[in-house]
Amino acid sequence: MAASVAAAARRLRLAIRRLPAWQGPSHRPLSSEPTAAQASAVRAAFLNFFRDRHGHRLVPSASVRPRGDPSLLFVNAGMNQFKPIFLGTVDPRSEMAGFRRVANSQKCVRAGGHHNDLEDVGRDLSHHTFFEMLGNWAFGGEYFKEEACSMAWELLTQVYGIPKERLWVSYFDGDPKAELDPDLETRDIWLSLGVPASRVLSFGPQENFWEMGDTGPCGPCTEIHYDLAGGVGGPQLVELWNLVFMQHNREADGSLQPLPQRHVDTGMGLERLVTVLQGKHSTYDTDLFSPLLSAIHQGCRAPPYLGQVGVADEGRTDTAYRVVADHIRTLSICIADGVFPGMSGAPLVLRRILRRAVRFSTEILKAPPGFLGSLVPVVVETLGDAYPELQRNSAQIANLVSEDEAAFLASLQRGRRIIDRTLRSLGPSDMFPAEVAWSLSVSGDLGLPLDLVELMLEEKGVQLDSAGLERLAGEEAQHQAQQAEPVQKQGLWLDVHALGELQRRGVPPTDDSPKYDYYLRPNGGYEFGTCEAQVLQLYTEDGTAVTSVGKGQRCGLLLDKTNFYAEQGGQASDRGYLVRAGQEDVLFPVARAQVCGGFILHEAVAPECLQIGDQVQLHLDKVRILPDFPIPCSPFTLLTPCLHPGRWVTKVFQAWRLGCMEKHTATHLLNWALRQTLGPGTEQQGSHLNPERLRFDVATQTPLTPEQLRAVESTVQEAVGQDKAVYVEEVALALTAQVPGLRSLDEVYPDPVRVVSLGVPVAHALDPASQAALQTSVELCCGTHLLRTGAVGDLVIIGERQLSKGTTRLLAVTGEQAQQARELGQSLAQEVKAATERLSQGSRDGVEAHRLSKDIGRLIEAVDTSVMPQWQRWELLATLKMLQRRANTAIRKLEMGQAAKKTQELLERHSKGPLIVDTVSAESLSVLVKVVRQLCEQAPDTSVLLLSPQPVGKVLCACRVAQGATPTFTAEAWALAVCSHMGGKAWGSRVVAQGTGSTADLEAALSTARAYALNQL
């Protein structure tokens, strides 16, 4: 084994030296005489092989945060970023549309969702939450099975020098149920490459048929396996490489249809490959992990790592080593890509990963506080050359990990105390209460994952009330479902077959350049021109292509050109209508427009027959209401077709497009203002806008302060007041790559790409020497914008909340809505000022004090829920909460004074004895309780019950039993006896109780109170 591995390493070194130097991710020179192939060299050899020998384009790893794919929590395979190609939805103008053969090393995270290895990490020697996937792809039939197999065999045996006799292969054996034949073509290719028939195995669909999901592109795959045994005894096979041949599409009904174009999708885990090439027992023994394991040993009071598992892993020390090493890699990669620990979705999974790492490091490895953050530089050292974002964000990663570690350790300590306190109150056979476990969990106050709570109880030999926990989880799920926003109805869509048919017929992508055809009129208003177009294809609701649609039918229209903006880049779709040439009084309302692989699909309702070839005219921002049928029209009311006396009446959004333009330009101003206020490193995390408001997610180290929000608004207002020109120009994508300050997102941009610059001509903004992009907003953007910033009017940030640690979501309104928000804020500020003055004047009686307290409470609710500047909301709430405390203090003082006065009256009326039962006037139950308390303080051997008549027959009750009363005489039972007599209720403890009731006969109630007490005394 050692000799063969040494030989493989020598051959790998020779192969790497023969390949030209690659100026890609890794710039560190390789050691001249490594003992075995370094991981960085293995990665470089893979990329160089496909680039230099087989003409593949090297593309960077995508972020582990999925791009526009809500089905994934994390990118978990190399093919994720290429799904638009597989699905046929790639923008034909984008760089990706030109991909034919590509290769890369993709960062992947498998934790949460369908692929979840989190709980297995540490228990064995192979599972990881983060790993690197080496892959090569061929799109659109660029090459297929024979070339893919030959390249893989060449790389493994000639470049990496793996002995051929150690390699086995498998192929798809067919699936009679799906009417799929065995993939004999792939079998014969392997045989032709010299693989003995005895090492060519066949398996069914579970092993050798790969699917993207429940629906979508799929196909047979062939796997290359490595024999760990090396001929000693039976083979011990581990999968090295999976080659997928996408040639089918799984339909919604479960059937398989041929894909319009075939693709090759391969993936090989770098960690496992390095394990084989370095002759190691596990991935944790390779140089991808050894620096981390060494750093863990040096920083903890734990014995060295021995690589043990199961019962051999005494004290689970080696398990903890593996958990910490794996998890800190995952945390570093995710945070560098903008995924921060949080409370839902991927951030919640990352939070669990961090807290799992903290517990293993502190409880098993005895690591000191702040230890996890100290490992980040080691991750950067091992992976930073391949993924430079780690180097750029290393300080932020370490700080965030350390902050969350400290917070979790504090929660863990509190959680242990609560568990211990609860256990002391349980009997030997009692189960741990589900309510307490839930309050400890991530859904409760301390944020301890439920599986961690269960583990902590398991270690103490206590069983958790699982049934009660399931009930609470169900109630929480039901509550979340009620709070969730309604799911938007899925619109019409062109699937891979429809797109493939359009491409086969040579139908060109929709010309949507008319969406940018608008201008300013002399009066300052915008004029949106109409668009003449031809119907190229019609689709029914289920996506079936048809030649015509009938009256009342919901359908999809594909036109040769359009002036509608299809939803993308965070901007909502346009809405409007179209008319058929020569029939202008029949309106076809268009509810939305979607982009599908370069084609714009208009979703409409046909009031009359429409067919392929018809000439139509598209309209935006006009109001047409047919006579004799008045309809109230809001600028943002949904387009509503109504059948009336055989004709259609339509409300169209007079300002929908203009509202989107206003919000989109405002979004750019907001992005720039945030950078000006928080620093140039501030990064946008996403946005969405419609005519009513805009949403903006921004990466922040800490929550924004009121002062920062005011500064951001002021910066935007200044730019709006200057009424800057908005310059837009299409330029080659390559020209934008090195412009300092230019803003872009992790998206696929078309080439050429539109550049939007506020106040500075695009050519000047893109000149690196000008630094103009640092002084104003310059962004890559395909959206529609105002032509001058002054039309934004104003911008007010009306909401701010933390989505996760490091990500803040802002909500903002513009124009007239912003002005209304400011006016409402000023109005509420005046009310708060008036409440302050009322409180300063003081209250002479409790009624007035209570009224003021209630008014302050109503003001708090109004300020908390109103659409107003967020900075002002925070300031007013702080003032109101202070006023509330002062008001409550004033009420307590008044009540104490009233109680003292009434106490003296009662003491004068009653001689000292074991019992006082009487009536007294009191403005509230709170005052009555205080009178009872003061009486008992002055007469500790006396039991007291007082009734206080209120308007409309209501009676308040408060009582307290003396310290020396018999155990059977309790205040709660006493109050209950009296209040029940009055048809009311009571509550309290053995010593003090209170209640309410209603009666017109107070003497009878007092007699009941005396009789009960005398019986007990």
Side-chain angles (χ1 to χ4, degrees):
M1 173 71 176
S4 64
V5 171
R10 285 195 298 273
R11 282 191 289 272
L12 175 61
R13 289 197 297 274
L14 289 172
I16 292 173
R17 281 199 289 268
R18 284 197 300 267
L19 290 170
W22 176 48
Q23 301 301 317
S26 181
H27 304 289
R28 188 175 299 165
L30 300 176
S31 173
S32 58
E33 290 296 326
T35 56
Q38 296 177 349
S40 58
V42 174
R43 186 192 298 113
F46 180 92
L47 297 171
N48 289 344
F49 171 81
F50 280 101
R51 183 196 63 186
D52 299 329
R53 293 197 185 184
H54 296 286
H56 285 61
R57 177 176 184 165
L58 300 186
V59 298
S61 168
S63 164
V64 296
R65 185 174 57 180
R67 178 193 293 150
D69 189 348
S71 66
L72 295 174
L73 289 172
F74 300 97
V75 165
N76 57 22
M79 54 74 60
N80 289 160
Q81 68 169 309
F82 305 117
K83 284 176 75 171
I85 298 179
F86 300 136
L87 296 170
T89 59
V90 64
D91 186 338
R93 300 167 300 170
S94 68
E95 183 182 37
M96 185 181 288
F99 288 174
R100 291 296 175 266
R101 49 176 73 194
V102 300
N104 83 342
S105 177
Q106 172 63 48
K107 300 171 292 185
C108 298
V109 174
R110 290 189 176 174
H114 182 63
H115 297 284
N116 185 7
D117 293 340
L118 178 57
E119 299 307 322
D120 294 319
V121 170
R123 296 176 180 174
D124 58 26
L125 300 174
S126 59
H127 279 93
H128 302 291
T129 51
F130 164 73
F131 65 97
E132 298 179 67
M133 181 76 82
L134 303 172
N136 62 289
W137 291 267
F139 302 118
E142 175 71 12
Y143 60 78
F144 208 49
K145 296 179 181 180
E146 183 174 1
E147 297 90 336
C149 294
S150 298
M151 292 175 192
W153 193 253
E154 178 187 2
L155 175 64
L156 293 178
T157 61
Q158 295 182 27
V159 176
Y160 289 140
I162 298 176
K164 296 179 181 180
E165 60 272 15
R166 303 290 289 271
L167 297 175
W168 295 57
V169 298
S170 65
Y171 68 94
F172 180 52
D173 194 28
D175 183 5
K177 292 182 180 179
E179 299 182 353
L180 293 175
D181 296 327
D183 187 8
L184 301 181
E185 179 186 359
T186 298
R187 181 202 63 182
D188 294 342
I189 291 170
W190 289 122
L191 294 174
S192 70
L193 289 171
V195 183
S198 60
R199 297 208 302 273
V200 180
L201 311 176
S202 62
F203 294 100
Q206 187 170 353
E207 294 84 7
N208 279 95
F209 193 87
W210 189 91
E211 305 205 38
M212 182 185 296
D214 294 335
T215 60
C218 55
C221 63
T222 181
E223 296 176 341
I224 305 175
H225 301 263
Y226 180 79
D227 181 10
L228 295 173
V232 180
Q236 300 177 32
L237 303 182
V238 293
E239 178 192 334
L240 273 187
W241 206 343
N242 189 12
L243 286 62
V244 180
F245 307 121
M246 291 195 181
Q247 57 192 89
H248 304 287
N249 191 73
R250 179 72 70 180
E251 305 296 324
D253 61 4
S255 64
L256 291 172
Q257 297 294 331
L259 277 175
Q261 292 186 317
R262 303 186 304 181
H263 313 284
V264 171
D265 164 25
T266 85
M268 175 165 55
L270 173 67
E271 290 79 3
R272 189 172 292 176
L273 175 63
V274 171
T275 303
V276 168
L277 295 178
Q278 294 183 358
K280 300 297 184 180
H281 183 54
S282 85
T283 54
Y284 291 97
D285 298 327
T286 67
D287 64 338
L288 287 166
F289 285 90
S290 54
L292 272 171
L293 297 175
S294 176
I296 293 170
H297 175 58
Q298 293 173 14
C300 299
R301 299 187 299 275
Y305 178 72
L306 299 176
Q308 300 295 327
V309 296
V311 293
D313 181 17
E314 189 173 345
R316 297 194 301 161
T317 300
D318 289 349
T319 297
Y321 266 100
R322 290 188 288 268
V323 167
V324 172
D326 172 89
H327 288 7
I328 193 60
R329 281 168 34 109
T330 304
L331 289 163
S332 299
I333 287 289
C334 288
I335 294 171
D337 278 349
V339 183
F340 305 106
M343 293 301 293
S344 64
L348 175 58
V349 175
L350 200 63
R351 189 173 187 238
R352 290 185 61 204
I353 290 173
L354 190 149
R355 297 191 163 199
R356 190 169 186 257
V358 171
R359 186 162 187 265
F360 274 93
S361 66
T362 56
E363 296 191 356
I364 297 178
L365 299 177
K366 308 303 179 186
F371 171 69
L372 273 187
S374 72
L375 296 177
V376 172
V378 184
V379 178
V380 175
E381 179 69 19
T382 55
L383 296 175
D385 284 348
Y387 307 112
E389 58 272 14
L390 284 169
Q391 298 171 336
R392 292 194 301 268
N393 299 293
S394 59
Q396 179 193 16
I397 298 168
N399 290 339
L400 200 150
V401 169
S402 295
E403 288 174 10
D404 263 52
E405 178 184 0
F408 179 58
L409 287 174
S411 295
L412 204 58
Q413 287 299 108
R414 287 180 58 200
R416 285 199 192 95
R417 289 196 296 269
I418 292 172
I419 288 175
D420 290 342
R421 186 168 64 245
T422 305
L423 291 178
R424 286 195 294 270
S425 67
L426 297 180
S429 59
D430 290 345
M431 289 192 296
F432 193 83
E435 289 77 12
V436 178
W438 188 259
S439 70
L440 294 172
S441 78
V442 72
S443 303
D445 300 324
L446 294 186
L448 304 181
L450 277 172
D451 57 350
L452 177 54
V453 175
E454 291 185 66
L455 186 60
M456 294 165 72
L457 293 174
E458 183 182 319
E459 292 171 352
K460 294 179 178 292
V462 178
Q463 185 178 356
L464 176 61
D465 178 9
S466 300
L469 205 58
E470 288 180 11
R471 174 180 54 79
L472 291 172
E475 291 173 358
E476 174 69 12
Q478 186 176 4
H479 173 72
Q480 293 291 342
Q482 292 172 347
Q483 298 296 315
E485 296 181 5
V487 178
Q488 214 175 13
K489 185 177 180 181
Q490 176 64 45
L492 297 175
W493 188 253
L494 299 182
D495 64 17
V496 66
H497 301 297
L499 292 168
E501 175 61 18
L502 291 171
Q503 292 159 3
R504 186 193 64 79
R505 288 165 44 194
V507 177
T510 308
D511 175 12
D512 63 347
S513 59
K515 68 188 178 186
Y516 301 122
D517 293 344
Y518 51 88
Y519 60 91
L520 272 171
R521 294 193 296 265
N523 64 0
Y526 280 80
E527 180 67 31
F528 298 95
T530 59
C531 176
E532 308 288 340
Q534 182 181 22
V535 179
L536 299 182
Q537 185 63 63
L538 293 161
Y539 297 91
T540 60
E541 282 193 76
D542 63 2
T544 303
V546 293
T547 57
S548 64
V549 292
K551 185 176 181 178
Q553 191 171 353
R554 181 168 169 257
C555 61
L557 292 86
L558 190 62
L559 311 174
D560 62 340
K561 63 176 65 173
T562 183
N563 59 350
F564 276 62
Y565 184 87
E567 181 158 0
Q568 56 188 315
Q571 179 175 329
S573 160
D574 280 338
R575 300 176 181 181
Y577 66 96
L578 59 87
V579 297
R580 194 163 42 193
Q583 204 173 4
E584 283 75 16
D585 62 338
V586 179
L587 311 184
F588 291 73
V590 178
R592 68 202 300 189
Q594 298 183 79
V595 60
C596 308
F599 299 100
I600 307 298
L601 188 66
H602 304 74
E603 188 175 318
V605 176
E608 293 188 5
C609 179
L610 191 67
Q611 57 189 8
I612 292 177
D614 281 351
Q615 299 293 322
V616 297
Q617 190 178 72
L618 294 96
H619 294 262
L620 290 172
D621 291 339
K622 291 181 184 292
V623 177
R624 291 186 56 175
I625 302 179
L626 296 186
D628 304 324
F629 200 79
I631 299 176
C633 185
S634 163
F636 305 131
T637 304
L638 183 66
L639 185 69
T640 309
C642 308
L643 196 60
H644 178 70
R647 307 181 74 190
W648 284 78
V649 180
T650 308
K651 291 184 292 180
V652 185
F653 307 80
Q654 185 177 15
W656 182 274
R657 160 67 83 83
L658 189 57
C660 286
M661 291 162 52
E662 182 183 295
K663 296 299 185 296
H664 208 144
T665 302
T667 299
H668 284 216
L669 286 170
L670 177 60
N671 191 3
W672 173 69
L674 284 164
R675 286 173 177 246
Q676 294 295 108
T677 304
L678 305 180
T682 306
E683 293 292 338
Q684 178 180 347
Q685 296 288 309
S687 66
H688 189 269
L689 63 97
N690 60 33
E692 295 177 340
R693 64 181 55 188
L694 66 89
R695 185 190 75 211
F696 192 90
D697 298 340
V698 60
T700 55
Q701 294 290 333
T702 57
L704 275 70
T705 65
E707 293 74 22
Q708 288 172 328
L709 289 180
R710 290 187 74 171
V712 169
E713 288 184 5
S714 297
T715 302
V716 173
Q717 284 179 310
E718 182 179 354
V720 170
Q722 293 170 353
D723 194 25
K724 296 180 178 181
V726 178
Y727 296 94
V728 183
E729 190 175 326
E730 279 196 351
V731 301
L733 187 61
L735 293 179
T736 68
Q738 304 299 324
V739 179
L742 183 134
R743 265 74 81 194
S744 62
L745 295 175
D746 180 27
E747 294 180 358
V748 177
Y749 289 98
D751 191 5
V753 65
R754 285 172 64 85
V755 178
V756 178
S757 175
L758 305 186
V760 177
V762 172
H764 182 58
L766 295 185
D767 181 359
S770 75
Q771 303 289 300
L774 295 172
Q775 308 302 321
T776 188
S777 170
V778 184
E779 297 193 30
L780 306 184
C781 181
C782 66
T784 56
H785 284 268
L786 298 171
L787 301 180
R788 302 197 70 86
T789 62
V792 171
D794 193 3
L795 179 141
V796 170
I797 297 170
I798 60 170
E800 186 269 5
R801 67 184 179 95
Q802 291 289 108
L803 288 184
S804 62
K805 184 77 173 179
T807 303
T808 297
R809 169 162 292 178
L810 303 176
L811 295 179
V813 292
T814 61
E816 186 178 344
Q817 294 165 295
Q819 188 59 40
Q820 291 172 352
R822 292 197 189 279
E823 291 173 358
L824 180 56
Q826 287 303 311
S827 175
L828 289 170
Q830 289 299 318
E831 292 190 46
V832 172
K833 181 180 179 182
T836 305
E837 292 173 354
R838 284 172 61 191
L839 187 62
S840 299
Q841 293 170 0
S843 301
R844 297 181 180 179
D845 58 72
V847 174
E848 172 61 26
H850 278 285
R851 184 181 298 117
L852 177 58
S853 179
K854 288 180 180 179
D855 289 345
I856 292 173
R858 282 192 290 267
L859 261 179
I860 289 174
E861 183 179 0
V863 170
D864 197 37
T865 58
S866 294
V867 176
M868 62 181 294
Q870 184 68 18
W871 63 265
Q872 192 174 31
R873 187 194 322 279
W874 284 339
E875 290 184 353
L876 293 183
L877 284 175
T879 300
L880 286 168
K881 288 174 181 177
M882 180 270 294
L883 293 179
Q884 188 82 78
R885 289 192 297 269
R886 287 176 54 192
N888 290 340
T889 300
I891 289 171
R892 283 194 298 272
K893 287 181 178 179
L894 281 170
E895 290 180 346
M896 291 295 289
Q898 293 172 359
K901 181 179 178 181
K902 296 183 185 301
T903 298
Q904 287 304 119
E905 293 174 355
L906 287 166
L907 286 173
E908 292 171 2
R909 197 156 62 221
H910 293 270
S911 59
K912 288 190 176 182
L915 185 66
I916 296 177
V917 175
D918 206 341
T919 62
V920 65
S921 62
E923 295 173 350
S924 66
L925 191 57
S926 174
V927 172
L928 192 63
V929 170
K930 289 181 173 65
V931 175
V932 169
R933 183 185 303 123
Q934 291 188 20
L935 273 173
C936 291
E937 286 173 354
Q938 297 192 40
D941 297 328
T942 302
S943 295
V944 178
L945 185 144
L946 299 178
L947 299 178
S948 177
Q950 303 292 305
V952 296
K954 186 178 179 181
V955 178
L956 305 179
C957 172
C959 66
R960 185 179 183 118
V961 298
Q963 296 175 358
T966 61
T968 59
F969 186 21
T970 68
E972 185 177 20
W974 193 12
L976 185 60
V978 176
C979 292
S980 296
H981 172 82
M982 297 187 295
K985 58 183 180 179
W987 59 94
S989 65
R990 193 188 70 80
V991 178
V992 181
Q994 54 192 290
T996 61
S998 296
T999 183
D1001 189 354
L1002 275 178
E1003 283 303 322
L1006 292 171
S1007 297
T1008 301
R1010 292 190 190 96
Y1012 183 91
L1014 291 172
N1015 183 51
Q1016 296 296 321
L1017 291 172

